[in-house]
């Protein structure tokens, strides 16, 4: 953190006004539901984007990342269409705040992030949220965290051009240490659900397959459009409104198997989030394992966003005795989560790594995820 402030000084020739930090996230359950007005349950990772800021006297944005080579990128007039590569994730937030009528001047930014990029752990939301929180403080905007998250989503949708839902930004802005965040993406109501695995002798492993599928964005858009088509065929404003109890009749009314699969995933996934919430509330944490495995099968077979590497993590982890596992994030690569008994944790991780080796695949990165704090000012 001190490093980011010092590097800011070297780059820009003056001291930053402050340093802010925002985490990446994993999603425990509730995948692809956040653009269907459904339920999600992410928690924040200890991996964060840390950024130093200083206000400018003009309206430009100057951004530098310690994680990429090159000079600071200057965006003179942030507006959709003016692509500046990675710096879009910074400039877009400035634009979204200004477009919403907030008086935000220019800024210089230097950042460094420990959130792996493109690993399904939301390095993009960490960047957006650290910028939004800093601007909120520096320009005294007085916005709530959920409002900041919604503006970050708008930035990613309308400026960066990624049609993501509201989960990632809300998780980065609103999560608290030791909890998973139950979020209803329709009315944005939230509940912090205690999720302290260590005290129960459990662990949640994150396995980053290091697979990045280049077609993921187009496929994401297709799934989103397919969900909207399904909702239109059923005469509801979003798939959230299809009751689990009437799923068989609803499926009968759909025009094709592809849409049937999408609808079945969203409806059963919302139901799975509710089941996980009930189990956590009842203190029956081990029982969520099979629900995670069911969720993975649904993403693989019905929503069709998994890939062989993610399936291999889940299959090899469960075969090695994990309580449950599933892909997390948008899919087509990225990461999976694995719920394990603490004593068997190393053995399960080893089995997954060996399975990758025996298939001739790049060794996955495995780490233990402990629910961490949401975005904050650090100095
Ligand atoms: P994810 O959010 O799953 O990590 P995305 O494709 O949504 O994947 O976002 C990754 C992009 O965010 C990167 O390609 C880059 O443009 C930007 N990004 C993330 N972290 C950094 C960083 N530390 N420095 C510069 N750009 C970053
Ligand atoms: Mg992202």
């Amino acid at each position: 953190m001190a490093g980011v402030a010092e590097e800011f000084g070297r780059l820009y020739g003056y001291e930053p006004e402050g340093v802010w930090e925002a985490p990446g996230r994993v999603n425990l359950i509730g995948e692809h539901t956040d653009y269907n007005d459904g339920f999600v349950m992410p928690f924040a990772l200890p991996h964060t984007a840390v950024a130093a800021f200083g206000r400018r006297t003009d309206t430009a944005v100057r951004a530098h990342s310690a994680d990429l080579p090159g000079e600071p990128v200057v965006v003179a007039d942030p507006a959709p269409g003016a692509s500046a590569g990675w710096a879009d994730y910074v400039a877009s937030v400035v634009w979204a705040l200004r477009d919403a009528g907030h008086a935000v001047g220019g800024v210089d930014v230097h950042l460094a992030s420990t959130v792996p990029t493109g690993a399904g752990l939301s390095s993009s939301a960490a960047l957006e949220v650290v910028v939004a929180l800093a601007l909120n403080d520096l320009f005294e905007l007085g916005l709530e965290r959920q409002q900041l998250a919604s503006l970050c989503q708008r930035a990613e949708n309308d400026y960066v051009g990624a049609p993501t839902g509201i989960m990632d930004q809300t998780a980065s802005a609103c999560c608290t240490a030791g909890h998973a965040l139950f979020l209803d993406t329709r009315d944005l109501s939230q509940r912090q659900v205690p999720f302290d695995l260590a005290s129960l002798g459990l662990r949640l492993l994150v396995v980053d397959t290091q697979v990045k599928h280049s077609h993921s964005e187009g496929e994401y858009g297709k799934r989103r459009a397919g969900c909207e088509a399904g909702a239109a065929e059923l005469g509801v404003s979003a798939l959230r409104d299809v009751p689990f109890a009437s799923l068989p009749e609803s499926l009968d009314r759909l025009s094709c198997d592809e849409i049937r699969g999408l609808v079945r995933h969203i409806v059963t996934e919302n139901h799975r989030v509710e089941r996980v919430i009930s189990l956590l509330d009842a203190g029956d944490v081990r029982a969520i394992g099979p629900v995670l495995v069911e969720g993975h099968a649904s993403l693989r077979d019905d929503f069709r966003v998994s890939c062989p590497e993610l399936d291999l993590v889940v299959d090899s982890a469960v075969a090695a005795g994990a309580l449950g596992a599933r892909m997390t994030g948008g899919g087509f690569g990225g990461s999976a989560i694995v719920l394990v008994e603490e004593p068997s944790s190393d053995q399960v991780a080893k089995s997954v790594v060996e399975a990758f080796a025996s298939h001739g695949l790049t060794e996955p990165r495995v780490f233990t995820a402990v629910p961490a704090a949401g975005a904050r000012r650090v100095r």
Side-chain angles (χ1 to χ4, degrees):
M1 270 168 242
V4 166
E6 281 155 19
E7 186 57 23
F8 181 103
R10 274 196 290 276
L11 270 170
Y12 299 126
Y14 70 100
E15 287 301 303
E17 293 180 81
V19 177
W20 287 260
E21 184 171 13
R25 60 98 191 97
V26 286
N27 190 19
L28 184 60
I29 189 84
E31 215 64 79
H32 287 271
T33 47
D34 68 339
Y35 52 85
N36 289 288
D37 279 6
F39 306 130
V40 295
M41 220 181 161
F43 64 85
L45 289 171
H47 305 68
T48 59
V50 182
F53 288 78
R55 280 172 293 178
R56 297 171 59 89
T57 53
D58 62 10
T59 57
V61 172
R62 215 166 24 154
H64 186 262
S65 169
D67 308 312
L68 295 172
E71 296 296 305
V73 179
V74 180
V75 184
D77 184 19
S83 178
W86 74 269
D88 282 353
Y89 290 97
V90 177
S92 61
V93 175
V94 173
W95 167 80
L97 284 164
R98 286 179 184 161
D99 200 59
H102 302 293
V104 172
V107 279
D108 290 326
V109 186
H110 171 69
L111 63 92
S113 178
T114 54
V115 187
T117 59
L121 303 175
S122 262
S123 68
S124 59
L127 236 58
E128 292 153 9
V129 169
V130 80
V131 173
L133 192 68
L135 296 175
N136 191 46
D137 288 349
L138 284 170
F139 295 99
E140 299 178 359
L141 305 179
L143 295 169
E144 302 288 336
R145 280 168 181 257
Q146 184 64 67
Q147 291 176 291
L148 295 174
S150 295
L151 287 163
C152 288
Q153 184 201 9
R154 171 136 201 262
E156 186 150 349
N157 289 172
D158 295 349
Y159 191 123
V160 178
T164 57
I166 187 64
M167 170 172 68
D168 299 350
Q169 294 85 358
T170 305
S172 186
C174 301
C175 280
T176 58
H179 296 83
L181 177 72
F182 174 49
L183 175 71
D184 178 338
T185 65
R186 169 162 279 170
D187 64 10
L188 299 179
S189 59
Q190 308 184 345
R191 181 152 75 88
Q192 302 286 345
V193 181
F195 192 58
D196 176 10
L197 294 175
S199 69
L200 300 166
L202 295 171
R203 264 199 201 182
L204 197 89
L205 305 177
V206 175
V207 181
D208 174 4
T209 63
Q210 314 224 43
V211 174
K212 297 174 210 286
H213 278 288
S214 52
H215 60 274
S216 62
E217 248 172 49
E219 292 292 330
Y220 190 100
K222 275 193 216 160
R223 297 302 182 286
R224 191 170 178 151
C227 288
E228 281 160 14
E233 288 185 17
L234 294 171
V236 292
S237 68
L239 292 181
R240 150 73 176 277
D241 296 315
V242 180
F244 179 73
S246 70
L247 181 59
E249 300 93 272
S250 298
L251 293 176
D252 281 345
R253 288 166 52 206
L254 293 166
S255 60
C256 65
D257 282 346
E258 190 186 327
I259 294 184
R260 231 166 258 132
L262 298 179
V263 171
R264 186 163 47 224
H265 169 71
I266 297 300
V267 175
T268 58
E269 185 77 351
N270 278 326
H271 187 59
R272 277 186 286 275
V273 179
E274 293 184 301
R275 284 160 65 201
V276 165
I277 287 278
S278 304
L279 291 168
L280 293 183
D281 283 345
D284 198 359
V285 181
R286 284 173 173 79
I288 74 172
V291 188
L292 303 183
V293 176
E294 221 180 88
H296 184 77
S298 179
L299 288 159
R300 182 190 61 211
D301 303 333
D302 277 343
F303 216 69
R304 298 192 300 113
V305 291
S306 189
C307 65
E309 295 84 353
L310 288 168
D311 296 343
L312 185 60
V313 177
V314 173
D315 294 345
S316 59
V318 170
L323 295 165
R326 68 174 205 91
M327 54 160 276
T328 187
F332 304 107
S335 301
I337 53 172
V338 179
L339 181 67
V340 283
E341 299 284 356
E342 208 279 322
S344 66
S345 158
D346 289 348
Q347 182 51 45
V348 171
K350 192 162 161 267
S351 297
V352 172
V353 169
E354 282 170 3
F356 270 61
S358 72
H359 284 74
L361 298 167
T362 307
E363 183 171 333
R365 243 170 45 89
V366 185
F367 62 89
T368 300
V370 178
R376 60 216 168 262
R377 183 171 193 160
V378 288
R379 61 169 266 195

